[in-house]
Amino acid sequence: MQHILHIDASYSGERSVSRVLSRDFITAWKKFHPEAAVLYRDLGRFPVPYINEAWIAATHSSSEIRTPEMIAALEVSNPLLEEFLLVDGYVFGVPMYGFTIPATLKAYFEHLIRLGRTYEVTKAGVKGLVHGKKALFITSCAGDYSPGSTFGEDHQEPYLRTLFESFGIKDVQFVNAGKLMFKDREQSISSAQASLQSLATQW
């Protein structure tokens, strides 16, 4: 049985394009994988806490010397990490805020950056420890961030690719609905929906 982790990060509720698209993809994908289990997290409505000094100390200390504050920090964080490592793939609904990802999604990812669990440092540099998994990022943005555009820099997709490669996850795909504040908004959404419907048959 396949296990998929589906995460939405938008703060916009049902008005969110990335939420609608990620939900539509999961619905279509489940038709081809009815036996699959889908875990869901809504970080927009139920954000995880930011990591703090106690978390940093806990992840760099042995269990014998951890303080109650360190233990409490890991009691929140460890289930997020174990869940991430358990599943076979990930589907993220990610709007662009301020040229990059929402703060709540960044906070979630910081819980996963664990030396000895998701990555290690070798003489050759950072080496990912999470293998055999795949990720789909369904992104949305108000402007035009396609190559050659003059609207601004996209710090969303490059960051996500770099992060997941550092984990060892190289099977990473993106489907974007852009130009959402322009007249071709509906065309962009329809194009993304078509891409996701096609991807659902093979992902």
Side-chain angles (χ1 to χ4, degrees):
M1 177 188 293
Q2 284 188 288
H3 288 75
I4 299 298
L5 178 59
H6 173 202
I7 291 181
D8 280 320
S10 172
Y11 308 140
S12 299
E14 295 309 309
R15 295 178 290 111
S16 165
V17 170
S18 64
R19 282 179 181 274
V20 170
L21 293 177
S22 72
R23 182 174 62 229
D24 287 351
F25 174 79
I26 289 293
T27 299
W29 181 80
K30 280 281 288 181
K31 292 179 181 178
F32 298 96
H33 302 84
E35 78 293 345
V38 179
L39 305 176
Y40 181 65
R41 280 193 176 274
D42 187 341
L43 296 178
R45 292 189 174 102
F46 305 101
V48 300
Y50 291 106
I51 65 172
N52 55 21
E53 184 178 359
W55 185 92
I56 295 291
T59 58
H60 291 80
S61 303
S62 63
S63 59
E64 295 81 11
I65 63 172
R66 286 175 186 154
T67 66
E69 291 78 13
M70 294 181 194
I71 294 171
L74 292 183
E75 284 177 347
V76 173
S77 188
N78 282 344
L80 299 175
L81 175 63
E82 297 305 331
E83 179 181 84
F84 184 80
L85 296 175
L86 169 69
V87 300
D88 304 301
Y90 317 94
V91 175
F92 292 91
V94 188
M96 178 185 283
Y97 294 155
F99 305 105
T100 188
I101 66 174
T104 186
L105 184 57
K106 177 66 162 53
Y108 168 79
F109 285 144
E110 288 179 347
H111 286 277
L112 309 179
I113 302 173
R114 296 284 199 96
L115 183 63
R117 300 298 306 279
T118 53
Y119 77 99
E120 63 181 352
V121 180
T122 69
K123 291 183 178 179
V126 174
K127 178 182 178 182
L129 300 176
V130 185
H131 303 294
K133 301 179 189 294
K134 55 188 177 181
L136 170 62
F137 292 97
I138 302 169
T139 62
S140 62
C141 57
D144 179 9
Y145 296 88
S146 58
S149 71
T150 59
F151 199 86
E153 293 291 334
D154 172 9
H155 299 286
Q156 183 184 56
E157 182 173 333
Y159 165 73
L160 292 169
R161 286 190 181 278
T162 299
L163 178 65
F164 271 63
E165 183 172 341
S166 77
F167 290 158
I169 302 171
K170 302 183 183 302
D171 186 352
V172 178
Q173 294 175 278
F174 285 79
V175 174
N176 177 254
K179 306 180 184 179
L180 296 182
M181 72 176 191
F182 296 124
K183 62 181 180 180
D184 43 4
R185 167 190 173 93
E186 296 306 319
Q187 179 181 347
S188 179
I189 293 174
S190 295
S191 177
Q193 287 172 326
S195 296
L196 290 169
Q197 290 294 319
S198 176
L199 188 59
T201 66
Q202 53 189 291
W203 195 76

